[in-house]
Amino acid sequence: MTKALRQPDGLDVTRPSPARIYDYMLRGSHHFDADAQAAERILTVVPEIRDCAWSNRGFHQRAAAWIARQGVKQFLDIGSGLPTVGNTHEVVGKIHPDARVVYVDNDPMVELHSKGILDETGRVRVLCADLREPESILDDPAVRELIDPAEPTGLLLTAVLMFVADEADPWALVARYVQAMRSGSYLALSHLTDDAKPPLAVDGFRRVFDHATEQMHFRSRQQVARFFDGLEFVPPYPGAAPALTYSGLWGAEDVQLADSDGSRWLYCAVARKPLSHQSDHGGCHQADTGGAGHRPGRPGLGAVRRWRRLD
């Protein structure tokens, strides 16, 4: 596999990367032996993690589509990962054929293997950049050309901030990106958690990334909620209070089937940047009772992909 797969010059294929491990979990083909081995070690300690990966992918797609149906036509997808079926521009393009998308990832493999998704219209761009350097992304010519600050933006940060250490202040980073967006924009974010998870499984999961290109950082519900400070949560599914939930439940048609052990590794939400006259209220407008969505029953594997439109 390593010999056959195209790779950027100088890439160390012996160190697994989050983007390529994720690709393996989604049964993609853009990964090396080291990534596959790392993924298998994770599956040994957390067998449901492949379900978690699919759950996150489903949330990402449902959230992007929902945001597009609110009239948003431009998207900044940071930590986009390797191209697969149902990329952001494909999802939102079904709603707005003229939608514009900028993908950002710090794995050079993403830029290399994403060239095939670029179209002649120039409405899709791919950047190799690090989310920890927001100015380098926001000031990039591709972003300046495709993302109009006068229009609402869909900011997608799914399953990526768990690779940013507290020392880098991921909350301030998210705030900087949100600050650059006009009122009426949306943030879709998901993040791994170790809340109510077996300590041995969490430790084994984390250790796999000790020698990867990025290290793993689990965060609590309260810590994940902080990413949405100053924003207004939208209800994750009909009848639910606007708050964080688990990735399988966001946009679920049947919350009993969609609530799986795999999806409970990920908190997620979509939130709106308030209109200017509402900004003085501050804080995250939500009704949070401490749970992340109820768990009415035990679902079957793979049910996380059952969903409905929320509009």
Side-chain angles (χ1 to χ4, degrees):
M1 182 183 303
T2 298
K3 294 180 180 179
L5 190 61
R6 285 187 303 146
Q7 59 198 65
D9 294 338
L11 182 69
D12 183 0
V13 301
T14 66
R15 295 185 68 194
S17 83
R20 300 193 301 268
I21 291 173
Y22 187 53
D23 177 77
Y24 180 87
M25 292 295 185
L26 295 178
R27 303 190 185 282
S29 58
H30 300 103
H31 53 265
F32 299 111
D33 293 339
D35 307 301
Q37 293 164 7
E40 287 296 333
R41 289 198 299 273
I42 297 172
L43 287 165
T44 298
V45 295
V46 188
E48 68 271 22
I49 207 62
R50 178 166 268 139
D51 178 42
C52 174
W54 281 110
S55 173
N56 182 73
R57 188 65 182 171
F59 162 69
H60 179 99
Q61 294 171 336
R62 297 191 298 272
W66 186 89
I67 293 170
R69 288 195 293 271
Q70 311 316 303
V72 176
K73 296 184 178 181
Q74 57 184 17
F75 292 80
L76 183 58
D77 186 348
I78 302 178
S80 57
L82 286 146
T84 184
V85 176
N87 298 296
T88 302
H89 73 284
E90 296 169 326
V91 171
V92 301
K94 294 177 181 178
I95 301 162
H96 301 297
D98 58 343
R100 308 178 307 277
V101 178
V102 179
Y103 294 102
V104 182
D105 203 287
N106 68 349
D107 188 330
M109 283 281 292
V110 173
E111 183 179 37
L112 176 65
H113 288 274
S114 294
K115 291 181 179 179
I117 71 176
L118 301 178
D119 58 17
E120 296 179 355
T121 67
R123 289 194 288 263
V124 181
R125 298 291 178 84
V126 182
L127 304 181
C128 184
D130 196 311
L131 74 87
R132 288 164 289 205
E133 300 173 357
E135 304 309 323
S136 70
I137 293 174
L138 296 172
D139 291 336
D140 188 276
V143 174
R144 287 182 171 273
E145 180 181 350
L146 294 190
I147 306 298
D148 185 347
E151 297 180 21
T153 300
L155 174 60
L156 310 176
L157 287 162
T158 59
V160 63
L161 288 162
M162 56 228 197
F163 299 108
V164 179
D166 286 357
E167 291 75 13
D169 199 347
W171 299 277
L173 292 172
V174 172
R176 176 65 187 97
Y177 289 110
V178 171
Q179 180 188 39
M181 304 187 304
R182 62 152 289 174
S183 299
S185 295
Y186 289 89
L187 167 66
L189 183 151
S190 59
H191 198 296
L192 274 176
T193 184
D194 55 359
D195 284 357
K197 293 298 181 182
L200 287 178
V202 172
D203 187 59
F205 194 165
R206 182 187 293 110
R207 285 177 180 274
V208 172
F209 289 88
D210 285 350
H211 303 289
T213 57
E214 304 288 350
Q215 281 63 62
M216 179 72 75
H217 306 278
F218 296 89
R219 292 190 169 99
S220 68
R221 178 183 179 82
Q222 182 179 15
Q223 290 173 316
V224 177
R226 282 181 57 198
F227 289 118
F228 298 92
D229 280 354
L231 305 180
E232 300 170 335
F233 283 131
V234 302
Y237 53 86
L244 285 177
T245 190
Y246 294 117
S247 56
L249 297 183
W250 203 98
E253 179 180 275
D254 187 326
V255 292
Q256 290 187 342
L257 290 177
D259 188 20
S260 69
D261 288 337
S263 80
R264 284 189 163 233
W265 280 94
L266 284 164
Y267 286 129
C268 73
V270 175
R272 178 175 179 264
K273 184 173 182 177
L275 298 179
S276 298
H277 70 277
Q278 296 174 320
S279 298
D280 294 338
H281 295 301
C284 205
H285 300 267
Q286 60 176 312
D288 189 348
T289 58
H294 65 285
R295 186 173 193 176
R298 189 175 183 83
L301 187 65
V304 294
R305 294 186 290 281
R306 295 172 59 90
W307 59 282
R308 64 179 295 177
R309 289 175 55 161
L310 297 183
D311 57 357

